[in-house]
Protein backbone atom coordinates (compact mmCIF):
# COMPACT_ATOMS: atom_id res chain seq x y z
CA UNK A 1 0.00 0.00 0.00
CA UNK A 2 2.70 2.46 0.98
CA UNK A 3 4.83 1.65 -2.08
CA UNK A 4 1.90 1.78 -4.50
CA UNK A 5 -0.02 4.80 -3.22
CA UNK A 6 2.54 6.48 -0.96
CA UNK A 7 -0.03 6.98 1.79
CA UNK A 8 1.16 5.98 5.24
CA UNK A 9 -0.85 3.66 7.47
CA UNK A 10 -1.68 6.65 9.66
CA UNK A 11 -3.06 8.56 6.67
CA UNK A 12 -5.10 5.59 5.46
CA UNK A 13 -6.70 4.38 8.71
CA UNK A 14 -10.23 5.76 8.92
CA UNK A 15 -10.17 7.21 5.40
CA UNK A 16 -12.06 5.88 2.40
CA UNK A 17 -10.49 4.78 -0.86
CA UNK A 18 -12.42 7.58 -2.57
CA UNK A 19 -10.96 10.34 -0.39
CA UNK A 20 -7.45 8.90 -0.71
CA UNK A 21 -7.13 7.79 -4.33
CA UNK A 22 -9.74 9.46 -6.53
CA UNK A 23 -8.87 12.49 -8.63
CA UNK A 24 -9.77 14.36 -11.82
CA UNK A 25 -9.22 11.42 -14.21
CA UNK A 26 -10.70 8.70 -12.00
CA UNK A 27 -13.67 7.14 -13.80
CA UNK A 28 -16.25 7.14 -11.02
CA UNK A 29 -18.59 4.88 -13.02
CA UNK A 30 -15.95 2.15 -13.13
CA UNK A 31 -15.16 2.57 -9.44
CA UNK A 32 -18.84 2.59 -8.45
CA UNK A 33 -19.52 -0.47 -10.59
CA UNK A 34 -16.78 -2.37 -8.77
CA UNK A 35 -18.20 -1.35 -5.38
CA UNK A 36 -21.81 -2.11 -6.36
CA UNK A 37 -20.84 -5.68 -7.25
CA UNK A 38 -19.46 -6.11 -3.72
CA UNK A 39 -22.74 -5.13 -2.07
CA UNK A 40 -24.60 -8.35 -2.84
CA UNK A 41 -22.34 -10.69 -0.86
CA UNK A 42 -24.69 -13.67 -1.38
CA UNK A 43 -23.93 -13.81 -5.11
CA UNK A 44 -20.55 -12.05 -5.19
CA UNK A 45 -17.54 -14.15 -6.12
CA UNK A 46 -14.95 -11.81 -7.58
CA UNK A 47 -14.66 -8.59 -9.54
CA UNK A 48 -11.94 -6.52 -11.14
CA UNK A 49 -11.44 -3.16 -12.80
CA UNK A 50 -8.74 -0.85 -14.08
CA UNK A 51 -8.97 2.64 -12.63
CA UNK A 52 -6.88 5.80 -12.61
CA UNK A 53 -5.89 6.63 -9.04
CA UNK A 54 -3.70 9.25 -7.42
CA UNK A 55 -0.79 8.91 -5.00
CA UNK A 56 -0.30 11.13 -1.97
CA UNK A 57 1.88 13.45 -4.09
CA UNK A 58 -1.07 13.81 -6.57
CA UNK A 59 0.69 11.88 -9.34
CA UNK A 60 -1.73 9.62 -11.19
CA UNK A 61 -1.26 5.92 -11.84
CA UNK A 62 -3.32 3.16 -13.44
CA UNK A 63 -4.39 0.55 -10.96
CA UNK A 64 -5.71 -2.97 -11.63
CA UNK A 65 -8.01 -3.75 -8.71
CA UNK A 66 -9.22 -7.29 -8.10
CA UNK A 67 -11.51 -8.24 -5.21
CA UNK A 68 -12.56 -11.75 -4.25
CA UNK A 69 -14.79 -13.27 -1.60
CA UNK A 70 -13.62 -15.83 0.94
CA UNK A 71 -16.42 -18.10 2.12
CA UNK A 72 -16.92 -20.32 5.13
CA UNK A 73 -16.53 -23.95 4.01
CA UNK A 74 -19.63 -25.15 5.84
CA UNK A 75 -22.10 -22.29 5.55
CA UNK A 76 -20.93 -20.79 2.27
CA UNK A 77 -21.29 -17.32 3.80
CA UNK A 78 -18.78 -14.64 2.87
CA UNK A 79 -16.42 -14.12 5.79
CA UNK A 80 -13.86 -11.81 4.21
CA UNK A 81 -13.10 -9.85 1.06
CA UNK A 82 -9.57 -9.86 -0.30
CA UNK A 83 -8.42 -7.02 -2.51
CA UNK A 84 -5.31 -6.89 -4.66
CA UNK A 85 -4.01 -3.65 -6.14
CA UNK A 86 -1.47 -3.73 -8.94
CA UNK A 87 0.05 -0.64 -10.58
CA UNK A 88 -0.03 -0.97 -14.36
CA UNK A 89 2.65 0.17 -16.73
CA UNK A 90 1.89 3.55 -18.23
CA UNK A 91 3.16 2.56 -21.68
CA UNK A 92 0.38 0.03 -22.37
CA UNK A 93 -2.72 1.26 -24.14
CA UNK A 94 -6.22 0.98 -22.70
CA UNK A 95 -7.29 -1.59 -25.29
CA UNK A 96 -5.00 -4.13 -23.62
CA UNK A 97 -7.15 -3.88 -20.46
CA UNK A 98 -10.52 -3.30 -22.13
CA UNK A 99 -11.96 -6.66 -21.07
CA UNK A 100 -10.95 -6.44 -17.42
Amino acid sequence: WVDLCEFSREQAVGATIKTLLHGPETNLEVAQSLVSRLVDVDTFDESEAVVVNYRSDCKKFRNHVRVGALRDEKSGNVTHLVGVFCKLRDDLNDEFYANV
Side-chain angles (χ1 to χ4, degrees), residues 1-40:
W1 173 259
V2 173
D3 291 339
L4 177 64
C5 306
E6 297 186 357
F7 285 98
S8 68
R9 183 180 193 286
E10 291 77 23
Q11 291 172 302
V13 170
T16 67
I17 295 292
K18 183 176 182 178
T19 59
L20 290 175
L21 300 179
H22 288 188
E25 292 184 40
T26 301
N27 185 331
L28 293 180
E29 287 182 24
V30 171
Q32 290 170 343
S33 175
L34 179 66
V35 171
S36 69
R37 286 178 265 174
L38 301 175
V39 173
D40 189 2

Side-chain angles (χ1 to χ4, degrees), residues 21 24-26 52-55 57-62 87 90:
L21 300 179
E25 292 184 40
T26 301
V52 173
N53 286 139
Y54 290 81
R55 300 183 330 190
D57 62 2
C58 299
K59 289 184 180 177
K60 71 179 180 178
F61 66 96
R62 292 181 340 132
K87 181 181 181 229
D90 293 328

